[in-house]
Amino acid sequence: MKYTQFIIAILICSVLILFCSNNLNAQNKNNIDSILSKLTLKEKIAMIHAQSKFSTPGVPRLGIPELWMSDGPHGVRAEISWDKWEHAEWTNDSITAFPALTCLAATFNPKLSKEYGISLGEEARYRKKDVLLGPGVNIYRTPLNGRNFEYMGEDPYLASKMVVPYIQGIQQNGVAACVKHYALNNQEKWRTHINVEVSDRALHEIYLPAFKAAVEKGKVWSIMSAYNQFRWQYCSHNEKLNTILKKDWNFNGVIISDWGATHNTKQSALYGLDIEMGTGTDGLTHSLKNAYDNYYMALPLLKMVESGEIEEAFIDDKVKRILGLMFKTTMNKNRSFGKMNTKEHHSTAKKIASEGIVLLKNNNSFFPIDTIKKIKIAVIGENATKKMTLGGGSSELKAQFEISPLEGIQNKFKNATVLHAMGYSSGPSIYGEIIPTEFDNKKLKKEAIEVAKKSDIILYFGGLNKNHQQDCEGDDRKSFELPFGQNELLNEILKVNQNVGVVLISGNAVETPWILKIKALIQGWYLGSITGEALAEIISGDVNPSGKLPFSFPKKLKDNSAHYYGELSYPGDSINQYYKDDILVGYRWHDTKKIKPQFAFGEGLSYTTFKISNVGANKKVYKQDDKIIITTTVTNSGDREGAEVIQVYIGKPNSKVNRALKELKAFKKVHLEKGESKTIELQLNLKDLSYYNESISNWELEKGNYTIFVGNSSQNIIKKLNIIIK
Ligand code: BGC
C-alpha cells in the first residue's frame, strides 16, 4: 500500500472508530434513560447500597445484573462471605499476587503500570468481578502510615503518571478501577473519624493531582471515598470534595463509599455518594429483617424522597451513573473472558518486581554476588521466609504460590552453601490483634550469630511485615525504628561478621542506624508471588537494578515534614489534625529546609554507571502556550546493560508565594546497552509550572525566572538551567 493510501485508510478507520464510539455512547445514554423510566423508586434505592459485603443488587425483572466488587489493589482478593468478613473458603480463588504499588511506583515506568493493570484486570474478569477496588493514590506523608505500601509514593506528579495507565489497563478488560481513598486518608490512625484541616493550596497541589489525573486522563469509572473527615464533613458526603470531583473535573462515574464510611442520609443524597458499602459492617447482625435496609441510603433515604425532603432527581443521577458503569462492565457483551495465573501474569509480576527493587548502598560492589562461587551464604531474618501476601488488611491475597527470598537464593546459588537462621520472630497477627510469638527470640538470635560466624556473606532479610501496626491497614506504625529487636540483632551480627548486605522488605522507610556498618542495602518492597525469584536475580546480577525511591527516607522521624510540626500535625489530637507542613511534603520539605535525608526521593543505584550530558532546553524565553522541551544525552559508561531514570524538577526563585525549592515535572526511564548513548527529550507544558492561587481559587502561572534541575535523583542534580516565562 502506498503511503497516501495508508494515511487515507488510517483516517477512515479513525473516523469510523469515533463514529462507532459516539454512537455507542449515544445508544447507552438512550438505554440508560429508557431503563431509568422503567425503574420504581424502591428499585433505584436498592441499586445504591450494598446487598452483601461486596455486591449491590440488580433488577432481575429488567435483566439488570448485580454488581460485584473485590479488593485490590495488588491482586484479586479471596472470596469473602456474603455477610461476614470471613473467607468463603473457596478452592478456586487463588490468584497471582502482583508487587505492591510502592514497588510499581519505584519502577518509574508507566508502561509497566499499563501491563500491571491489564494483567490484574484479566484476573478480576476471570473471577467475575466488575469493580476492582484500587489503585490507591493517597500521598505518602509520614513513614508511619500503615498503608503506604498500597500507594504510589510522596510525589503527586509521579503518582499521576503511574495511576493513569494502571486504570486504562484494568478498564480495557471491562472491569472498573476504583481509585481510593478520596481524599486525605494519609494515615490509618483514627482514620474513621479524624478531621483533616489542610490549605486549599496543599489540597490541590499535593493531595488531589493523582485523583484528578485518574479522572481526567485515566477516565476512571469509579472512585472510593475516604473514611476521614475534611473540614468537618465526612469524605463520603463532603460538599467541597464532591464539587471538585463531579463539577470541576466532570467526573461522570460512580462514587463508592469506603466500607462503613457513610454517616448521614441527607448529605449522602446531596453531596455525591452513589453507592453505600459496608455500613454496620457485620451485615445481618442488626435486629431488623435485613440490615442492608437500614443503610443510610436505603429505607431512611426512601422515606425522605417519599416525603419530598429530597428530590428524586438526586437518586436518578446516582442510578444513571451506576447504569453507565454497568454498560461498560457487567452489561458489556464485548468484554473479554479474562484469565488467571497465566505465565504472562507471572512474568508481568516479575518484571515489575525486578524494575522496582531499589539498590541504595553497594560498597565495593558487594552486589552482585557471583553464582559460580563455592561460598557460604547466611540468609538471616524472618522476612526471608515470611509470606507477605497474607495480612495487611483488605489488600491481603491468597496467592497460588509465593516464592520466598530464601527459596529464591537457594535456587539461584546452587554452588554455594546456603545456611539459614530466622534471627527474630514477630509472631503472627490477626487483623487488629498482635499475638505473642511462640519462638524464643534470645535463642533465635544466638542461632543467627552462630550462622553468621560460619559464613562468608550474610544476606539479612528484615524490615517490616503485614502485621497489625506494621505495614497494615487500620492503624499506624508505633515507631520509625525496625521492630522485633532487629537493630540489636543486626549490631550483634556485625560484631562477628562485617560482610553484611541488608534487604529491607517493607512499604515504608525505616530508621537505619547501622547504615555505615553494613556493606550494601536493597529496598525490596512486597513483591508478591515471585518475590524470591526477583530478589535473587538482582542479588546475583542476572538483572541490573533500576528502581528509584518513590519517597524520601529521613534519617530520623523529626526530619519528616509531618512530624516536624508535632502531634497536631501528626497524628492529631484524635479529633483534629492540621497539615502544618502544607505543600512541603517529602523531598519538597527536605530540599527546601536543607534537611538531608538518608536516601532521597528518586534515588537508586545500578551495577553500571551512567553519564548525563548535553542538557539543554529548546528556548530561554517562553510564552503562554509554549512547550518546554529538555534534551539530554544519557550514556551507559559501565560494562553492562542497565536503565537510568532522568528526572526534571522545576523551581521558581523569588516567587511571590512559598514554593518548594524544586518539584518533579517530568521523568523518563532509559534502557541502554553497555557503551550505548541515547539523546532523549522530556516535554513539559508551561501550565504545569503553575501554583494554586487561593485568592482566585484557581491555578496561576507566575511570570519571571525559573530554574530547571536535571538529574537522577532529587538530591543528585547534574545540570541547572535558567529560563524565563514572559
Ligand atoms: C478499606 C478499603 C477496602 C474496603 C473493602 C476498607 O476497610 O479501607 O480500601 O477496599 O475495606 O475491603
Side-chain angles (χ1 to χ4, degrees), residues 53-54 70-72 77 85 133-134 147 150-151 180-181 185 188 191 224 227 257-259 394-395 431 473:
K53 274 263 163 282
F54 281 95
S70 171
D71 287 302
R77 190 178 186 182
W85 279 116
L133 304 172
R147 249 182 136 172
E150 287 189 60
Y151 303 142
K180 60 196 192 181
H181 307 87
N185 184 183
E188 287 298 286
R191 66 170 175 170
M224 187 188 292
Y227 280 121
S257 77
D258 201 339
W259 271 233
S394 58
S395 64
Y431 186 50
E473 183 178 340

Side-chain angles (χ1 to χ4, degrees), residues 441-573:
N441 266 323
K442 269 196 194 140
K443 202 165 152 234
L444 293 181
K445 191 170 21 164
K446 217 169 143 220
E447 281 165 13
I449 289 161
E450 287 315 306
V451 164
K453 277 186 197 157
K454 283 190 249 167
S455 305
D456 303 302
I457 285 182
I458 293 162
L459 294 177
Y460 179 83
F461 290 88
L464 306 175
N465 62 29
K466 298 286 192 66
N467 284 4
H468 182 56
Q469 293 176 335
Q470 297 291 314
D471 279 330
C472 181
E473 183 178 340
D475 206 347
D476 288 347
R477 295 165 62 197
K478 285 274 163 256
S479 93
F480 185 43
E481 67 177 18
L482 279 181
F484 322 122
Q486 291 181 76
N487 283 343
E488 198 193 319
L489 171 65
L490 261 170
N491 280 333
E492 304 238 340
I493 291 173
L494 281 158
K495 278 186 202 151
V496 299
N497 191 333
Q498 286 77 49
N499 214 14
V500 178
V502 172
V503 181
L504 285 176
I505 305 290
S506 76
N508 256 319
V510 298
E511 202 170 29
T512 53
W514 27 258
I515 190 68
L516 295 177
K517 296 193 218 151
I518 61 165
K519 293 270 164 27
L521 179 66
I522 282 175
Q523 177 58 44
W525 312 119
Y526 299 112
L527 300 176
S529 295
I530 39 56
T531 297
E533 211 173 299
L535 282 168
E537 289 191 353
I538 293 279
I539 288 170
S540 66
D542 288 356
V543 172
N544 192 352
S546 64
K548 300 279 179 177
L549 282 181
F551 53 76
S552 315
F553 248 74
K555 285 188 179 147
K556 51 184 194 304
L557 198 55
K558 259 276 186 275
D559 289 353
N560 162 278
S561 67
H563 294 271
Y564 176 85
Y565 289 103
E567 279 192 13
L568 271 187
S569 164
Y570 174 89
D573 62 6

Side-chain angles (χ1 to χ4, degrees), residues 328-377:
K328 294 176 199 132
T329 57
T330 171
M331 300 203 293
N332 171 3
K333 289 197 199 90
N334 298 323
R335 63 179 178 162
S336 64
F337 265 46
K339 43 190 154 173
M340 201 160 78
N341 297 315
T342 61
K343 278 205 180 94
E344 291 77 28
H345 292 180
H346 299 154
S347 106
T348 298
K350 186 158 138 190
K351 243 189 285 174
I352 294 158
S354 307
E355 278 207 29
I357 293 169
V358 187
L359 179 64
L360 288 172
K361 174 173 178 173
N362 200 17
N363 275 14
N364 304 327
S365 300
F366 178 89
F367 293 124
I369 300 169
D370 197 338
T371 50
I372 307 209
K373 283 190 187 155
K374 290 194 161 54
I375 47 172
K376 278 199 188 121
I377 303 178

